[in-house]
Amino acid sequence: MRIKEWLIAASLVGIAAPTLAQAQLPHGSTEQDARQEQQESLKARQQATERRTWRDPQWRPEPVVSLNILSINDFHGQLSPRTVAGRPAGGAAVLASYLKAASNDNTLIVHDGDQVGASPPNSALLRDEPSISFFNLLANPHCRPFGRQLEMPRNAQPFAQQRCNVLGTLGNHEFDNGKAELLRQLSGGNHAKGPFLEDPWQGARFPMVSSNVIDASVGQPLLPPYSIHYRDGVRVGVVGAVLKETPSIVSPTGVAGLRFTDEAEAINRSVAELRRHGVRAIVVALHQGGQQTSYNGPTNPAADTLTGPVVDIIERLDDEVDVVISGHSHGFTNALVPNANGKPILVTQAFSAGTAYADIQLEISRRSRDIVEKSAAVHTTWADQGAGLTPDPDVAALVAQADSRVEPLVARVVGLAQGDISRTETPAGESALGNLIADAQRIATEAQISFMNPGGIRADLESGEVTWGELFAIQPFANDLVSMDLTGAQIKTLLEQQWVGQSYARILKPSGIQYSWSASRPDGNRVIEMRDATGALINPTALYRVTVNSFLAGGGDNFTVLTEGQNRVVGPVDLDALVTYIEGLPQPFTGRIEGRIQRVD
């Protein structure tokens, strides 16, 4: 179903459909989901359950307060279960059952950003309101609407919900649709083409914090930087932060009017304020992450090898920080990582999409008010055992309502896949699904060459009947396609930018071009040879018609050369192009690796 067709169908089933411009759901993303498949092996899941523990060597038995933090990250509106290592896991109702089973009167549930965005249709088509409603169902009676917190004086906001048991922070995807839509989602008010499941939409009923996102119009943080939680006579501070590179991985319209400052500097400023309030037990909810080295056997300090951008942030954190809940990289972390002064900071991350949660146990001295013992384990939310056998009925009813609302829109069959078509990359960086999508975009715009960003491919395509909803789950961003003129030299620069200035290689998925590259050559000179569809060498001075999505066309994922393209023409929405292309293929259709990208070493 095309986006325009959806607008008509939506009115027939009672969904107030957005205009074509308003139907622009989340834009491009950079999480390299192929990594997730590697990290979600059963071995990694088993390793994650090993509890990591630290105790202050100077601590002596004295009265303490126990605090339990249950954290998830990168939920991405995953209301429905998914498969992990061949078993069902997650889904909002199963996740809720696990979280409630692990909770007590001294439990705080934290989501570490990307709660919304890049979501399946049953959340995304309803503006991700069901995913926020899910967290509202976890909130205790002490939690208040987030909008009321923003109305309070700024110096009172951190104290507004001290006994609330749910808290969240911002990820990059919270900005997919811009500041105004973010604040509407959190504070309430029906979307212009709503209402959806709740009328009127009440917004989040729990606090949200972020210390390093600045509203440029007032020079102040967009949200409260931190929140103070009162538990059994002690206070715990939770500081939020999102990766400072957010503007490079979100559409420019999504971050208009906002500044993203250095994470560690913003966190440390909040830590200083918390100390002035007498708070010594401090947890950071940081939407940035890394990768932890796999190992066999029980967790041990020698195996706490964490790499990635989160490490630099941790090294610069104040000694008062005790725990960092991380995210964004969609893997698992459970390690003690020292800051620059050698202070061991407990760092966690619980895979993604609600398929796991981190169980963090804190012991806080009543005398010093500081954390004297901390430990964590990461548990998978298996749906075929334990708490997963009894999904939470209230959450299950919410999901069923969302499913029912969108089902007429997503169930239409558009094709028949002969076999599974995967986004998994070859060592060179090519993928069968990437080839299929790139072909669709090139054909839709009558271009010579097209490129698709890997982070914009959010799911694999299974064999059998292919529905509009499945294709939406693969490409949920509704980016426009943009055609432009690039010289052969600019195309070479584009391909080199797959490595230059990237935290990891972002290999674009090509159509109409074949090229080879070498990992042993230096950044900026890795591409060896480029040929067009006829087999002719790409001419550095010749002009070629190239199509990319609007996220890339704006320089997203640091592909800045694309902003130089001339004679730009905006074409159809990327999802429409894919649907039309698949409908026009001989059925059953397939997608395959064709050697479009060659790695020579």
Side-chain angles (χ1 to χ4, degrees):
M1 179 180 294
R2 295 176 176 85
I3 291 290
K4 290 181 179 178
E5 292 174 347
W6 176 68
L7 303 178
I8 299 172
S11 65
L12 298 179
V13 297
I15 296 179
T19 65
L20 183 59
Q22 291 164 332
Q24 301 300 302
L25 293 161
H27 287 262
S29 166
T30 61
E31 288 89 354
Q32 195 169 25
D33 291 338
R35 292 184 173 189
Q36 185 176 337
E37 297 173 5
Q38 300 168 357
Q39 293 168 330
E40 285 199 349
S41 67
L42 189 57
K43 175 184 174 182
R45 295 276 170 168
Q46 292 171 337
Q47 176 186 339
T49 63
E50 298 285 348
R51 184 163 288 275
R52 189 74 178 98
T53 303
W54 173 89
R55 176 181 288 179
D56 185 345
Q58 299 179 354
W59 181 77
R60 297 295 179 265
E62 60 177 313
V64 295
V65 173
S66 298
L67 175 64
N68 173 217
I69 297 179
L70 305 177
S71 69
I72 69 168
N73 53 275
D74 302 278
F75 181 66
H76 289 295
Q78 190 67 46
L79 300 177
S80 305
R82 62 188 304 176
T83 300
V84 171
R87 295 173 60 186
V94 166
L95 174 60
S97 182
Y98 274 94
L99 295 177
K100 289 184 177 181
S103 294
N104 56 51
D105 290 340
N106 279 357
T107 294
L108 177 63
I109 299 172
V110 176
H111 85 69
D112 192 55
D114 281 6
Q115 174 193 7
V116 300
S119 306
N122 58 354
S123 183
L125 291 178
L126 305 177
R127 293 291 172 176
D128 277 316
E129 290 176 11
S131 294
I132 297 173
S133 294
F134 158 49
F135 280 86
N136 287 343
L137 289 174
L138 299 174
N140 66 22
H142 298 290
C143 298
R144 307 172 187 173
F146 174 73
R148 295 183 189 175
Q149 183 177 357
L150 286 185
E151 295 170 358
M152 299 176 64
R154 186 167 293 273
N155 60 359
Q157 290 175 355
F159 300 89
Q161 307 201 49
Q162 289 192 101
R163 296 181 183 272
C164 180
N165 68 323
V166 177
L167 175 141
T169 192
L170 301 174
N172 50 290
H173 277 286
E174 269 76 13
F175 299 94
D176 283 337
N177 290 303
K179 178 178 72 172
E181 174 63 3
L182 166 61
L183 294 177
R184 185 202 67 83
Q185 285 178 318
L186 296 179
S187 300
N190 289 343
H191 188 272
K193 296 298 180 179
F196 301 110
L197 302 185
E198 182 178 296
D199 184 18
W201 170 242
Q202 299 293 318
R205 194 165 65 85
F206 51 87
M208 290 283 296
V209 295
S210 187
S211 62
N212 70 324
V213 181
I214 307 301
D215 186 339
S217 65
V218 294
Q220 296 287 337
L222 180 68
L223 302 185
Y226 56 87
S227 185
I228 297 175
H229 292 262
Y230 183 83
R231 289 292 186 273
D232 199 15
V234 300
R235 286 175 171 174
V236 178
V238 182
V239 183
V242 65
L243 67 156
K244 65 183 178 183
E245 294 86 5
T246 294
S248 71
I249 59 175
V250 172
S251 177
T253 57
V255 294
L258 300 173
R259 291 190 292 109
F260 294 75
T261 63
D262 182 83
E263 305 97 332
E265 293 176 3
I267 291 167
N268 289 341
R269 281 194 297 271
S270 291
V271 169
E273 291 185 23
L274 286 166
R275 287 209 60 176
R276 289 195 290 271
H277 290 304
V279 179
R280 297 290 309 280
I282 298 176
V283 175
V284 171
L286 170 64
H287 191 75
Q288 178 58 289
Q291 294 78 44
Q292 185 168 340
T293 302
S294 297
Y295 53 86
N296 293 317
T299 308
N300 62 80
D304 281 4
T305 304
L306 183 64
T307 60
V310 73
V311 176
D312 171 69
I313 299 170
I314 292 169
E315 288 178 347
R316 296 183 289 123
L317 291 181
D318 191 287
D319 288 354
E320 290 291 345
V321 174
D322 300 285
V323 178
V324 170
I325 300 166
S326 70
H328 189 58
S329 53
H330 290 204
F332 102 89
T333 300
N334 188 17
L336 289 169
V337 180
N339 69 2
N341 296 326
K343 165 71 179 291
I345 296 176
L346 180 63
V347 186
T348 66
Q349 183 175 176
F351 296 99
S352 67
T355 62
Y357 67 95
D359 182 357
I360 303 167
Q361 303 286 340
L362 304 179
E363 301 293 332
I364 304 170
S365 167
R366 288 190 180 275
R367 175 186 54 82
S368 68
R369 306 185 305 280
D370 204 355
I371 293 173
V372 294
E373 186 172 344
K374 52 193 175 186
S375 69
V378 176
H379 299 291
T380 295
T381 53
W382 299 115
D384 56 3
Q385 70 178 46
L389 295 174
T390 54
D392 184 85
D394 292 335
V395 176
L398 170 69
V399 176
Q401 186 183 10
D403 287 341
S404 176
R405 196 67 179 275
V406 304
E407 195 274 341
L409 308 179
V410 303
R412 185 172 74 84
V413 175
V414 300
L416 181 66
Q418 184 173 339
D420 293 345
I421 304 176
S422 174
R423 59 191 162 147
T424 300
E425 297 178 347
T426 68
E430 186 176 349
S431 76
L433 187 53
N435 286 348
L436 182 73
I437 293 171
D439 286 347
Q441 296 182 355
R442 179 176 59 83
I443 297 300
T445 56
E446 300 182 353
Q448 296 168 276
I449 297 169
S450 66
F451 295 100
M452 175 63 192
N453 56 311
I457 307 173
R458 304 302 299 187
D460 296 326
L461 185 61
E462 296 181 355
S463 63
E465 289 188 343
V466 175
T467 65
W468 186 91
E470 289 177 288
L471 297 181
F472 179 94
I474 291 170
Q475 287 196 278
F477 303 114
N479 284 307
D480 293 325
L481 296 181
V482 180
S483 300
M484 63 185 73
D485 291 337
L486 294 176
T487 66
Q490 287 173 315
I491 294 173
K492 169 71 157 52
T493 298
L494 172 66
L495 295 178
E496 297 292 353
Q497 287 181 344
Q498 295 175 129
W499 299 278
V500 174
Q502 306 286 6
S503 55
Y504 55 82
R506 292 188 170 93
I507 305 298
L508 298 170
K509 311 310 166 196
S511 177
I513 187 172
Q514 182 184 64
Y515 71 94
S516 58
W517 65 277
S518 169
S520 64
R521 296 174 65 160
D523 282 359
N525 192 32
R526 291 195 170 185
V527 175
I528 301 170
E529 183 180 85
M530 305 179 297
R531 293 183 180 272
D532 65 20
T534 69
L537 289 171
I538 295 292
N539 184 340
T541 61
L543 285 178
Y544 296 86
R545 198 67 181 162
V546 177
T547 292
V548 295
N549 61 45
S550 52
F551 169 69
L552 287 174
D557 278 354
N558 292 318
F559 290 105
T560 56
V561 70
L562 290 172
T563 63
E564 302 171 8
Q566 300 297 307
N567 299 320
R568 300 161 81 94
V569 175
V570 176
V573 172
D574 53 6
L575 176 60
D576 290 350
L578 181 60
V579 170
T580 300
Y581 181 67
I582 288 176
E583 287 178 326
L585 291 174
Q587 304 294 323
F589 71 93
T590 188
R592 59 177 60 90
I593 302 294
E594 299 177 345
R596 299 180 185 186
I597 310 174
Q598 298 286 334
R599 181 172 174 174
V600 300
D601 58 357

